[in-house]
Amino acid sequence: MADTIKLVHEGVTEREIADQMLGLYRKHGCEGFSFPPIVSFGANAGDPHHEPDDTVLKRGDVVLFDIGGRHRNYCSDMTRTFFWGEPDEETARIYDIVRRANEAAEALIAPGVRMCDLDRAARGVIEDAGYGKFFTHRLGHSIGLQDHEPGDVSLVNEQVVEPGMTFSIEPGIYLPGRTGVRIEDLALVTENGVEILNAYPHDPVRLD
């Protein structure tokens, strides 16, 4: 992620950044992608599954990266959202809400906790802030030899968390046609709690 944000500059397009991502992952010892990278500027971040296109970066945009590499056959996955210029008030507010939702769920992860309770912890933060209808997907998915493996972190999954499980925690708020924020980590369940595998911080960062 630290190398990826170096690709952001005035006038760049989403596609131009995405086209350079494979070289970055190979530089870091990966065989390839876990999945095609998501690069979203501004209103495109309001679509959680946006594919990079020729949208040009402009001041005030969010810059969302959802990226992952494959190393020794195992997949990684991480999402961070940045700012190009000063974000508007609502975007700054939803960033803080999503960050708190992510951290609320991660703080609960331990053997014996149910997957649905993790989803509820994050979703509750977003709902209490008035954005519940804009969090449009499950909280996370299992990951390992495939980017999406059987099992998920969702309201309907009452499976109990066990040591050795690895899954994503990725709350988001998506305002269609306006903006969006997602913050995603991978969580490895240990005997006593959890190890968060993504070291990149959650703090809001301007890239300009």
Side-chain angles (χ1 to χ4, degrees), residues 29-50:
C30 291
E31 296 87 41
F33 290 137
S34 301
F35 54 91
I38 295 174
V39 183
S40 304
F41 296 161
N44 292 341
D47 173 6
H49 302 294
H50 174 72

mmCIF file of all heavy atoms in Angstrom, residues 29-50:
data_model
loop_
_atom_site.group_PDB
_atom_site.id
_atom_site.type_symbol
_atom_site.label_atom_id
_atom_site.label_comp_id
_atom_site.label_asym_id
_atom_site.label_seq_id
_atom_site.Cartn_x
_atom_site.Cartn_y
_atom_site.Cartn_z
ATOM 1 N N GLY A 29 7.766 -9.862 -4.227
ATOM 2 C CA GLY A 29 7.890 -11.306 -4.138
ATOM 3 C C GLY A 29 6.637 -12.107 -4.393
ATOM 4 O O GLY A 29 6.605 -13.322 -4.155
ATOM 5 N N CYS A 30 5.590 -11.458 -4.884
ATOM 6 C CA CYS A 30 4.347 -12.172 -5.183
ATOM 7 C C CYS A 30 4.376 -12.747 -6.589
ATOM 8 O O CYS A 30 5.023 -12.202 -7.491
ATOM 9 C CB CYS A 30 3.152 -11.236 -5.037
ATOM 10 S SG CYS A 30 2.819 -10.730 -3.344
ATOM 11 N N GLU A 31 3.650 -13.853 -6.760
ATOM 12 C CA GLU A 31 3.544 -14.455 -8.098
ATOM 13 C C GLU A 31 2.572 -13.689 -8.987
ATOM 14 O O GLU A 31 2.666 -13.735 -10.209
ATOM 15 C CB GLU A 31 3.072 -15.899 -7.983
ATOM 16 C CG GLU A 31 4.035 -16.823 -7.248
ATOM 17 C CD GLU A 31 3.830 -16.842 -5.742
ATOM 18 O OE1 GLU A 31 2.676 -16.853 -5.283
ATOM 19 O OE2 GLU A 31 4.840 -16.837 -5.030
ATOM 20 N N GLY A 32 1.623 -12.996 -8.366
ATOM 21 C CA GLY A 32 0.617 -12.269 -9.138
ATOM 22 C C GLY A 32 -0.430 -11.696 -8.205
ATOM 23 O O GLY A 32 -0.207 -11.558 -7.003
ATOM 24 N N PHE A 33 -1.581 -11.375 -8.777
ATOM 25 C CA PHE A 33 -2.685 -10.812 -8.008
ATOM 26 C C PHE A 33 -3.492 -11.896 -7.299
ATOM 27 O O PHE A 33 -3.631 -13.011 -7.805
ATOM 28 C CB PHE A 33 -3.659 -10.061 -8.925
ATOM 29 C CG PHE A 33 -3.126 -8.785 -9.508
ATOM 30 C CD1 PHE A 33 -3.359 -8.483 -10.839
ATOM 31 C CD2 PHE A 33 -2.433 -7.877 -8.736
ATOM 32 C CE1 PHE A 33 -2.893 -7.294 -11.389
ATOM 33 C CE2 PHE A 33 -1.965 -6.693 -9.259
ATOM 34 C CZ PHE A 33 -2.199 -6.395 -10.595
ATOM 35 N N SER A 34 -4.092 -11.543 -6.163
ATOM 36 C CA SER A 34 -5.171 -12.355 -5.597
ATOM 37 C C SER A 34 -6.450 -12.154 -6.396
ATOM 38 O O SER A 34 -7.280 -13.056 -6.503
ATOM 39 C CB SER A 34 -5.451 -11.949 -4.146
ATOM 40 O OG SER A 34 -4.323 -12.097 -3.330
ATOM 41 N N PHE A 35 -6.610 -10.938 -6.930
ATOM 42 C CA PHE A 35 -7.788 -10.539 -7.696
ATOM 43 C C PHE A 35 -7.411 -9.252 -8.423
ATOM 44 O O PHE A 35 -6.481 -8.545 -8.011
ATOM 45 C CB PHE A 35 -8.990 -10.295 -6.769
ATOM 46 C CG PHE A 35 -8.705 -9.307 -5.671
ATOM 47 C CD1 PHE A 35 -8.947 -7.954 -5.838
ATOM 48 C CD2 PHE A 35 -8.154 -9.723 -4.470
ATOM 49 C CE1 PHE A 35 -8.653 -7.034 -4.845
ATOM 50 C CE2 PHE A 35 -7.858 -8.823 -3.455
ATOM 51 C CZ PHE A 35 -8.111 -7.473 -3.650
ATOM 52 N N PRO A 36 -8.096 -8.903 -9.502
ATOM 53 C CA PRO A 36 -7.775 -7.648 -10.194
ATOM 54 C C PRO A 36 -7.947 -6.460 -9.257
ATOM 55 O O PRO A 36 -8.950 -6.371 -8.525
ATOM 56 C CB PRO A 36 -8.791 -7.605 -11.342
ATOM 57 C CG PRO A 36 -9.193 -9.024 -11.552
ATOM 58 C CD PRO A 36 -9.155 -9.664 -10.187
ATOM 59 N N PRO A 37 -6.993 -5.538 -9.227
ATOM 60 C CA PRO A 37 -7.071 -4.431 -8.269
ATOM 61 C C PRO A 37 -8.254 -3.507 -8.541
ATOM 62 O O PRO A 37 -8.625 -3.260 -9.686
ATOM 63 C CB PRO A 37 -5.746 -3.697 -8.467
ATOM 64 C CG PRO A 37 -5.295 -4.077 -9.848
ATOM 65 C CD PRO A 37 -5.794 -5.466 -10.073
ATOM 66 N N ILE A 38 -8.828 -2.998 -7.452
ATOM 67 C CA ILE A 38 -9.860 -1.973 -7.530
ATOM 68 C C ILE A 38 -9.213 -0.631 -7.215
ATOM 69 O O ILE A 38 -8.581 -0.471 -6.172
ATOM 70 C CB ILE A 38 -11.008 -2.256 -6.552
ATOM 71 C CG1 ILE A 38 -11.738 -3.546 -6.939
ATOM 72 C CG2 ILE A 38 -11.985 -1.073 -6.494
ATOM 73 C CD1 ILE A 38 -12.809 -3.974 -5.937
ATOM 74 N N VAL A 39 -9.335 0.304 -8.132
ATOM 75 C CA VAL A 39 -8.860 1.675 -7.939
ATOM 76 C C VAL A 39 -10.049 2.575 -8.244
ATOM 77 O O VAL A 39 -10.573 2.553 -9.358
ATOM 78 C CB VAL A 39 -7.678 2.016 -8.869
ATOM 79 C CG1 VAL A 39 -7.168 3.431 -8.586
ATOM 80 C CG2 VAL A 39 -6.555 1.004 -8.733
ATOM 81 N N SER A 40 -10.487 3.357 -7.265
ATOM 82 C CA SER A 40 -11.702 4.170 -7.422
ATOM 83 C C SER A 40 -11.438 5.595 -6.977
ATOM 84 O O SER A 40 -10.968 5.813 -5.852
ATOM 85 C CB SER A 40 -12.852 3.587 -6.589
ATOM 86 O OG SER A 40 -13.096 2.240 -6.908
ATOM 87 N N PHE A 41 -11.764 6.551 -7.838
ATOM 88 C CA PHE A 41 -11.639 7.968 -7.505
ATOM 89 C C PHE A 41 -13.028 8.573 -7.298
ATOM 90 O O PHE A 41 -13.953 8.334 -8.097
ATOM 91 C CB PHE A 41 -10.962 8.744 -8.634
ATOM 92 C CG PHE A 41 -9.541 8.364 -8.933
ATOM 93 C CD1 PHE A 41 -8.965 8.714 -10.159
ATOM 94 C CD2 PHE A 41 -8.754 7.679 -8.013
ATOM 95 C CE1 PHE A 41 -7.650 8.393 -10.455
ATOM 96 C CE2 PHE A 41 -7.443 7.341 -8.310
ATOM 97 C CZ PHE A 41 -6.893 7.698 -9.536
ATOM 98 N N GLY A 42 -13.162 9.400 -6.275
ATOM 99 C CA GLY A 42 -14.362 10.215 -6.122
ATOM 100 C C GLY A 42 -15.643 9.411 -6.095
ATOM 101 O O GLY A 42 -15.794 8.463 -5.319
ATOM 102 N N ALA A 43 -16.578 9.788 -6.970
ATOM 103 C CA ALA A 43 -17.892 9.150 -6.993
ATOM 104 C C ALA A 43 -17.809 7.660 -7.304
ATOM 105 O O ALA A 43 -18.686 6.891 -6.897
ATOM 106 C CB ALA A 43 -18.785 9.848 -8.024
ATOM 107 N N ASN A 44 -16.762 7.223 -8.001
ATOM 108 C CA ASN A 44 -16.634 5.803 -8.326
ATOM 109 C C ASN A 44 -16.498 4.945 -7.068
ATOM 110 O O ASN A 44 -16.829 3.760 -7.083
ATOM 111 C CB ASN A 44 -15.437 5.569 -9.243
ATOM 112 C CG ASN A 44 -15.637 6.152 -10.621
ATOM 113 O OD1 ASN A 44 -16.756 6.421 -11.033
ATOM 114 N ND2 ASN A 44 -14.545 6.371 -11.347
ATOM 115 N N ALA A 45 -16.010 5.536 -5.975
ATOM 116 C CA ALA A 45 -15.881 4.786 -4.722
ATOM 117 C C ALA A 45 -17.242 4.474 -4.114
ATOM 118 O O ALA A 45 -17.336 3.660 -3.191
ATOM 119 C CB ALA A 45 -15.025 5.570 -3.732
ATOM 120 N N GLY A 46 -18.296 5.101 -4.610
ATOM 121 C CA GLY A 46 -19.649 4.783 -4.178
ATOM 122 C C GLY A 46 -20.146 3.449 -4.691
ATOM 123 O O GLY A 46 -21.201 2.967 -4.286
ATOM 124 N N ASP A 47 -19.379 2.817 -5.598
ATOM 125 C CA ASP A 47 -19.674 1.475 -6.120
ATOM 126 C C ASP A 47 -18.627 0.528 -5.543
ATOM 127 O O ASP A 47 -17.458 0.598 -5.916
ATOM 128 C CB ASP A 47 -19.604 1.484 -7.643
ATOM 129 C CG ASP A 47 -19.731 0.091 -8.250
ATOM 130 O OD1 ASP A 47 -19.983 -0.878 -7.493
ATOM 131 O OD2 ASP A 47 -19.564 -0.030 -9.484
ATOM 132 N N PRO A 48 -19.008 -0.372 -4.623
ATOM 133 C CA PRO A 48 -17.997 -1.218 -3.976
ATOM 134 C C PRO A 48 -17.260 -2.156 -4.918
ATOM 135 O O PRO A 48 -16.189 -2.657 -4.565
ATOM 136 C CB PRO A 48 -18.808 -1.997 -2.933
ATOM 137 C CG PRO A 48 -20.222 -1.891 -3.363
ATOM 138 C CD PRO A 48 -20.360 -0.586 -4.093
ATOM 139 N N HIS A 49 -17.788 -2.386 -6.116
ATOM 140 C CA HIS A 49 -17.148 -3.305 -7.061
ATOM 141 C C HIS A 49 -16.708 -2.587 -8.345
ATOM 142 O O HIS A 49 -16.598 -3.201 -9.401
ATOM 143 C CB HIS A 49 -18.097 -4.453 -7.393
ATOM 144 C CG HIS A 49 -18.538 -5.223 -6.198
ATOM 145 N ND1 HIS A 49 -17.666 -5.976 -5.428
ATOM 146 C CD2 HIS A 49 -19.754 -5.336 -5.598
ATOM 147 C CE1 HIS A 49 -18.329 -6.528 -4.424
ATOM 148 N NE2 HIS A 49 -19.590 -6.158 -4.505
ATOM 149 N N HIS A 50 -16.434 -1.308 -8.227
ATOM 150 C CA HIS A 50 -16.022 -0.527 -9.393
ATOM 151 C C HIS A 50 -14.756 -1.103 -10.032
ATOM 152 O O HIS A 50 -13.816 -1.498 -9.334
ATOM 153 C CB HIS A 50 -15.766 0.919 -8.969
ATOM 154 C CG HIS A 50 -15.209 1.775 -10.059
ATOM 155 N ND1 HIS A 50 -15.965 2.191 -11.142
ATOM 156 C CD2 HIS A 50 -13.966 2.301 -10.247
ATOM 157 C CE1 HIS A 50 -15.213 2.935 -11.935
ATOM 158 N NE2 HIS A 50 -14.002 3.009 -11.420
#
